[in-house]
Amino acid sequence: LKTYGLAEQLRQRRPIPADIDAAIIETARPWVEAFDGNSMVVLRRALEGFDVTPEFAKVKARVLYVICRTDKLFPPAIVPDVMHRMKAAGIDAQYFEIDSDLGHLASGPEADKWGPSLARFMAELTSKG
């Protein structure tokens, strides 16, 4: 959960490191009870080894690709290659980078930072019918 940016998110409300660690443990507890740790490892390996780029040619929808500048799971360094591959496959794609310290979890608590881009994207979709 720290990799996902939860510590940064909690730091905004809890300045004491021990409180942050306790909150992360509290958040993780339901995951621990619901999932076998081995299954999480297998899912992570599957995620890392699955390449969707050969399927890009099947995408017919316009794409708004949003990543946070501090995302450790999908770092902005991957964007140029992903955007190039989408364009090469004929995907009409736009990119927006969320300027946030909250990492992978930024899209929810920082919705105000990328919401206007989403609204414009959606307005363009509806205006084109």
Side-chain angles (χ1 to χ4, degrees):
L1 293 173
K2 287 180 180 180
T3 301
Y4 281 74
L6 186 57
E8 287 78 11
Q9 185 177 348
L10 291 168
R11 195 170 287 115
Q12 293 178 351
R13 296 179 309 224
R14 302 173 189 220
I16 301 169
D19 290 348
I20 293 170
D21 289 341
I24 289 173
I25 290 169
E26 181 181 317
T27 302
R29 184 166 277 113
W31 286 54
V32 170
E33 293 169 359
F35 296 102
D36 171 18
N38 293 316
S39 65
M40 298 304 286
V41 170
V42 169
L43 288 171
R44 176 65 187 220
R45 285 183 183 155
L47 172 70
E48 290 173 349
F50 187 72
D51 181 10
V52 298
T53 54
E55 305 299 320
F56 278 3
K58 296 177 182 177
V59 175
K60 304 298 179 211
R62 291 184 63 208
V63 173
L64 177 61
Y65 187 46
V66 180
I67 289 182
C68 177
R69 77 171 163 76
T70 57
D71 192 330
K72 293 177 183 169
L73 298 175
F74 300 98
I78 69 172
V79 171
D81 183 53
V82 172
M83 290 299 290
H84 172 76
R85 289 172 184 243
M86 282 196 278
K87 300 271 184 199
I91 299 173
D92 183 0
Q94 297 176 29
Y95 170 69
F96 183 81
E97 184 172 302
I98 304 171
D99 182 19
S100 171
D101 292 329
L102 300 183
H104 191 70
L105 298 177
S107 63
E110 302 277 28
D112 60 321
K113 292 185 176 180
W114 71 284
S117 291
L118 176 59
R120 281 190 300 277
F121 181 80
M122 296 301 293
E124 290 172 13
L125 289 179
T126 57
S127 70
K128 290 185 179 182

